[in-house]
Amino acid sequence: MAQSFKRLGAINPAANTQTNVYVVPAATEAVLSTITVCNQSATNASFSLIEMLDSEYSDPAPDATFIIRGAVVPAADTLVLTMGLTANAGSIIAANTNSPNISFAVFGSEVS
């Protein structure tokens, strides 16, 4: 099985819009080692991170799929979350924020 280390996805979503950061490709598994949440504004902002299977996808996300819900990233700051999450083919990592000035990036490895 081949393993590829890389940035798996990055987004700067519109405010109050659940947006996919990364979807695990077919015939692939992933290990998400780090997620960054960068606040590029002068005010605090809240955010949520979600991991769900494609079969349970909905918007808004089901309560049981939240990794983080309603956390705050301070103004002009970046949170670096080292988690070691595993995800099967078709799994979705999504994010939501109350600010259009928040970006999310997911780093890890794909195994195929």
Side-chain angles (χ1 to χ4, degrees), residues 5 9 16 21 23 30 34 40-41 43-44 53 56 71-72 78-79 82-83 86 95-96:
F5 298 94
N16 303 308
V21 182
V23 178
T34 304
Q40 300 155 33
S41 74
T43 58
N44 294 349
L53 301 173
E56 63 188 354
V72 174
T78 299
L79 300 178
T82 302
M83 299 177 146
T86 57
N96 197 352

Side-chain angles (χ1 to χ4, degrees), residues 7 26 41 67 77 84 87 93 102 104 106:
R7 183 179 78 172
S41 74
I67 300 167
D77 202 357
I93 306 302
I102 303 294
F104 299 87
V106 177

Side-chain angles (χ1 to χ4, degrees), residues 37 44-49 66-74 79 81 96-98 102 104:
V37 183
N44 294 349
S46 66
F47 71 95
S48 297
L49 289 171
F66 282 85
I67 300 167
I68 296 173
R69 186 171 197 161
V72 174
V73 59
L79 300 178
L81 310 169
N96 197 352
T97 177
N98 68 341
I102 303 294
F104 299 87

